[in-house]
Amino acid sequence: MTKSREEKSHDPGRRKFLKGVGIAGAGAAIADHLWVEAEGAESTATPESLSGTVKVVLDVNGQKREAQVEPRTTLLNTLRNHLDPAVTGPKLVCDVGTCGACTVLLDDKPVYSCLVLAVDATNKKITTVEGLGTPDKPNAVQSAFVENDALMCGFCTPGFVTTISAYLKKNPNPSIAEVREACKGNFCRCGTYPRVFEAALAAAKGSQA
Ligand code: FES
Ligand code: FES
């Protein structure tokens, strides 16, 4: 059985996670089954056939989205560069699973979408920050980030909001220590951590009220 990013975050360090995943295993970190409609003859997979593209159908924020990508294309790259319109909430920062800016939910579990192959996400429910709420109807975490001024440049914000939204479903009344632990896979280069944690606690309180 494979582990989500969240589960893996309990390992002593993300280096261990990366070691376990690697590029070749990026997809294997998530999926058990593929739902890929390959161009040409799938049954005669050769190096030549793998050098082409495949059609993937992704369930993104409740919509079926199709893309034509190389099998090595990450979910992050597919969302941002191979869908029309693009899904740009998840951000590309490190591209190697160290920062959390690309966090999305796969079947409600946070993962680094830069470490997941699109072909491995085809039979999963993908939720990005756009799917958590809208400007008119933000979810509790999105509202709390605005109310608590929990961002500066905002580049890390979609990742934090996604991680915290998933975590509060699991633990609706966390301590600040638990929020910090839940967020340890997300980095903020602007250093807004105190406000981020305040926002998470405020969202938890607001949801309970
Ligand atoms: S861009 Fe994926 S973890 Fe940094
Ligand atoms: S607000 Fe700038 S990186 Fe977090």
Side-chain angles (χ1 to χ4, degrees), residues 5 14 17-18 76 90-103 111-115 185-187 189:
R5 192 210 76 174
R14 78 185 65 236
F17 164 63
L18 289 172
L76 177 63
K91 298 288 182 273
L92 171 62
V93 177
C94 69
D95 211 17
V96 290
T98 62
C99 75
C102 65
T103 300
V111 298
Y112 295 138
S113 61
C114 70
L115 290 186
N186 292 79
F187 290 168
R189 287 163 179 78

Side-chain angles (χ1 to χ4, degrees), residues 25-101:
I30 304 297
D32 302 308
H33 307 287
L34 299 182
W35 176 26
V36 181
E37 297 175 51
E39 276 190 332
E42 285 181 57
S43 57
T44 55
T46 65
E48 288 74 32
S49 65
L50 290 177
S51 69
T53 61
V54 293
K55 183 169 91 173
V56 291
V57 183
L58 301 173
D59 178 349
V60 184
N61 300 326
Q63 291 189 324
K64 294 285 185 217
R65 304 291 306 271
E66 288 184 11
Q68 198 75 27
V69 295
E70 291 182 54
R72 64 176 178 164
T73 309
T74 65
L75 175 59
L76 177 63
N77 185 353
T78 304
L79 291 170
R80 294 184 58 84
N81 301 313
H82 296 276
L83 297 182
D84 185 17
V87 178
T88 57
K91 298 288 182 273
L92 171 62
V93 177
C94 69
D95 211 17
V96 290
T98 62
C99 75

Side-chain angles (χ1 to χ4, degrees), residues 151-156 188-190 192:
L151 60 150
M152 290 180 74
C153 78
F155 224 70
C156 68
C188 174
R189 287 163 179 78
C190 298
T192 57

